[in-house]
Amino acid sequence: MTEHILVPLDGSPLSRRALRHALEEFPDASITVLHVVDLFEPGYGAYPDFETSYEPLMGSEEWYERAEEVSEQLFDEAREFADEYGREVSTTSEIGDPKRIIVDYADEEEIDHIVLGAHGRTEEERPVFGSIAEIVSRRATVPVTLIR
Protein backbone atom coordinates (compact mmCIF):
# COMPACT_ATOMS: atom_id res chain seq x y z
CA MET A 1 0.00 0.00 0.00
CA THR A 2 1.25 3.46 -0.90
CA GLU A 3 1.51 5.66 2.17
CA HIS A 4 3.73 8.57 1.18
CA ILE A 5 3.76 10.21 -2.28
CA LEU A 6 6.30 12.72 -3.55
CA VAL A 7 5.13 15.18 -6.19
CA PRO A 8 7.87 17.43 -7.59
CA LEU A 9 6.17 20.67 -8.62
CA ASP A 10 7.79 23.14 -11.01
CA GLY A 11 4.66 25.05 -12.01
CA SER A 12 4.42 23.48 -15.46
CA PRO A 13 1.01 22.23 -16.61
CA LEU A 14 2.12 18.60 -16.32
CA SER A 15 3.45 19.04 -12.79
CA ARG A 16 0.09 20.50 -11.79
CA ARG A 17 -1.62 17.55 -13.46
CA ALA A 18 0.70 15.21 -11.53
CA LEU A 19 -0.41 16.76 -8.24
CA ARG A 20 -4.07 16.38 -9.18
CA HIS A 21 -3.42 12.76 -10.18
CA ALA A 22 -1.78 12.03 -6.83
CA LEU A 23 -4.67 13.66 -4.95
CA GLU A 24 -7.25 11.66 -6.92
CA GLU A 25 -5.52 8.27 -7.15
CA PHE A 26 -4.01 8.04 -3.67
CA PRO A 27 -6.74 9.32 -1.33
CA ASP A 28 -5.26 7.74 1.79
CA ALA A 29 -1.59 8.58 1.21
CA SER A 30 0.22 11.59 2.59
CA ILE A 31 1.57 13.85 -0.15
CA THR A 32 4.71 15.93 -0.07
CA VAL A 33 5.12 18.62 -2.71
CA LEU A 34 8.75 19.30 -3.50
CA HIS A 35 9.95 22.33 -5.43
CA VAL A 36 13.57 22.17 -6.48
CA VAL A 37 15.11 25.47 -7.47
CA ASP A 38 17.65 24.66 -10.15
CA LEU A 39 20.75 26.82 -9.70
CA PHE A 40 21.09 27.25 -13.45
CA GLU A 41 17.39 27.53 -14.34
CA PRO A 42 15.69 28.67 -11.11
CA GLY A 43 12.45 29.72 -12.80
CA TYR A 44 12.23 26.61 -15.02
CA GLY A 45 8.66 25.50 -15.54
CA ALA A 46 7.25 27.83 -12.92
CA TYR A 47 6.52 31.14 -14.53
CA PRO A 48 7.94 31.96 -17.97
CA ASP A 49 8.37 35.63 -17.16
CA PHE A 50 10.15 34.94 -13.87
CA GLU A 51 13.84 35.32 -14.68
CA THR A 52 16.23 34.77 -11.78
CA SER A 53 19.44 33.68 -13.52
CA TYR A 54 21.01 37.08 -14.05
CA GLU A 55 18.89 39.74 -12.39
CA PRO A 56 19.42 39.76 -9.46
CA LEU A 57 22.86 38.18 -9.43
CA MET A 58 22.66 34.41 -9.00
CA GLY A 59 23.49 33.45 -5.43
CA SER A 60 22.82 36.90 -3.98
CA GLU A 61 20.37 37.45 -1.15
CA GLU A 62 17.89 38.94 -3.65
CA TRP A 63 18.23 35.85 -5.85
CA TYR A 64 17.35 33.58 -2.92
CA GLU A 65 14.41 35.81 -2.00
CA ARG A 66 12.99 35.63 -5.53
CA ALA A 67 13.51 31.86 -5.68
CA GLU A 68 11.71 31.51 -2.35
CA GLU A 69 8.90 33.69 -3.68
CA VAL A 70 8.37 31.30 -6.60
CA SER A 71 8.36 28.33 -4.22
CA GLU A 72 5.75 29.96 -2.01
CA GLN A 73 3.53 30.75 -5.02
CA LEU A 74 3.73 27.11 -6.09
CA PHE A 75 3.00 25.88 -2.56
CA ASP A 76 -0.02 28.18 -2.26
CA GLU A 77 -1.32 26.73 -5.52
CA ALA A 78 -0.66 23.17 -4.28
CA ARG A 79 -2.58 23.86 -1.06
CA GLU A 80 -5.51 25.21 -3.11
CA PHE A 81 -5.54 22.02 -5.21
CA ALA A 82 -5.46 19.91 -2.05
CA ASP A 83 -8.33 21.93 -0.54
CA GLU A 84 -10.46 21.04 -3.56
CA TYR A 85 -10.08 17.38 -2.52
CA GLY A 86 -10.47 18.03 1.20
CA ARG A 87 -6.81 17.13 1.64
CA GLU A 88 -3.63 18.66 2.97
CA VAL A 89 -0.14 18.47 1.51
CA SER A 90 3.20 19.08 3.11
CA THR A 91 5.64 21.27 1.20
CA THR A 92 9.38 21.61 1.00
CA SER A 93 11.89 23.27 -1.29
CA GLU A 94 15.52 22.58 -2.04
CA ILE A 95 18.14 24.27 -4.18
CA GLY A 96 20.25 22.23 -6.57
CA ASP A 97 20.01 19.70 -9.37
CA PRO A 98 16.37 18.49 -9.57
CA LYS A 99 17.34 15.07 -10.95
CA ARG A 100 19.56 14.33 -7.99
CA ILE A 101 17.48 15.99 -5.29
CA ILE A 102 14.21 14.27 -6.22
CA VAL A 103 15.80 10.80 -6.10
CA ASP A 104 17.76 11.54 -2.90
CA TYR A 105 14.73 13.04 -1.18
CA ALA A 106 12.63 9.98 -2.01
CA ASP A 107 15.28 7.72 -0.48
CA GLU A 108 15.90 9.82 2.62
CA GLU A 109 12.25 10.52 3.46
CA GLU A 110 10.89 6.99 2.93
CA ILE A 111 8.74 7.94 -0.04
CA ASP A 112 6.70 5.03 -1.48
CA HIS A 113 5.90 6.51 -4.90
CA ILE A 114 6.88 9.50 -7.03
CA VAL A 115 4.35 11.19 -9.33
CA LEU A 116 5.78 13.79 -11.70
CA GLY A 117 5.11 15.48 -14.98
CA ALA A 118 6.83 13.91 -17.97
CA HIS A 119 8.42 17.27 -18.79
CA GLY A 120 8.36 20.90 -17.70
CA ARG A 121 8.29 22.51 -21.11
CA THR A 122 5.50 24.53 -22.66
CA GLU A 123 3.15 23.04 -25.23
CA GLU A 124 5.26 24.36 -28.12
CA GLU A 125 8.41 22.63 -26.81
CA ARG A 126 6.76 19.31 -25.89
CA PRO A 127 9.19 16.41 -25.79
CA VAL A 128 7.91 12.95 -24.92
CA PHE A 129 9.98 12.90 -21.72
CA GLY A 130 12.19 15.54 -20.23
CA SER A 131 15.65 14.86 -18.87
CA ILE A 132 14.52 15.14 -15.25
CA ALA A 133 11.66 12.67 -15.72
CA GLU A 134 13.92 10.27 -17.57
CA ILE A 135 16.68 10.29 -14.94
CA VAL A 136 14.27 10.12 -11.99
CA SER A 137 12.37 7.21 -13.53
CA ARG A 138 15.63 5.30 -14.11
CA ARG A 139 17.31 6.03 -10.76
CA ALA A 140 14.46 6.06 -8.26
CA THR A 141 14.19 3.02 -6.01
CA VAL A 142 10.41 3.41 -5.75
CA PRO A 143 7.67 3.31 -8.40
CA VAL A 144 7.44 6.41 -10.57
CA THR A 145 4.33 7.57 -12.39
CA LEU A 146 4.95 9.98 -15.26
CA ILE A 147 2.02 12.19 -16.20
CA ARG A 148 1.52 13.29 -19.82
Side-chain angles (χ1 to χ4, degrees), residues 6 18 23 25 33 35 42 47 58 64 77 85-86 90 93 97 109-110 118-119 133 137 147:
L6 178 64
L23 290 164
E25 297 299 319
V33 173
H35 178 232
Y47 301 98
M58 185 167 64
Y64 283 103
E77 185 177 300
Y85 294 89
S90 58
S93 65
D97 179 9
E109 299 298 323
E110 299 181 16
H119 59 79
S137 65
I147 302 300

Side-chain angles (χ1 to χ4, degrees), residues 11-111:
S12 67
L14 288 180
S15 73
R16 290 178 176 108
R17 195 177 305 165
L19 178 56
R20 287 194 182 275
H21 177 84
L23 290 164
E24 291 171 0
E25 297 299 319
F26 301 97
D28 298 324
S30 63
I31 296 175
T32 297
V33 173
L34 171 66
H35 178 232
V36 180
V37 178
D38 188 326
L39 284 170
F40 299 104
E41 293 187 70
Y44 175 80
Y47 301 98
D49 60 342
F50 192 85
E51 173 57 51
T52 56
S53 299
Y54 303 105
E55 182 77 36
L57 184 62
M58 185 167 64
S60 69
E61 185 175 329
E62 293 84 9
W63 183 90
Y64 283 103
E65 288 172 3
R66 290 183 70 186
E68 186 175 325
E69 184 181 317
V70 168
S71 291
E72 282 308 312
Q73 287 176 316
L74 290 172
F75 294 156
D76 287 345
E77 185 177 300
R79 289 182 198 101
E80 288 176 19
F81 287 165
D83 283 346
E84 292 174 20
Y85 294 89
R87 307 270 307 275
E88 291 185 7
V89 295
S90 58
T91 59
T92 189
S93 65
E94 305 250 349
I95 296 174
D97 179 9
K99 297 178 287 286
R100 183 188 56 77
I101 289 177
I102 293 166
V103 172
D104 289 350
Y105 187 92
D107 287 340
E108 293 165 7
E109 299 298 323
E110 299 181 16
I111 298 295

Side-chain angles (χ1 to χ4, degrees), residues 111-122:
I111 298 295
D112 299 317
H113 197 112
I114 300 170
V115 179
L116 76 156
H119 59 79
R121 302 289 181 196
T122 62

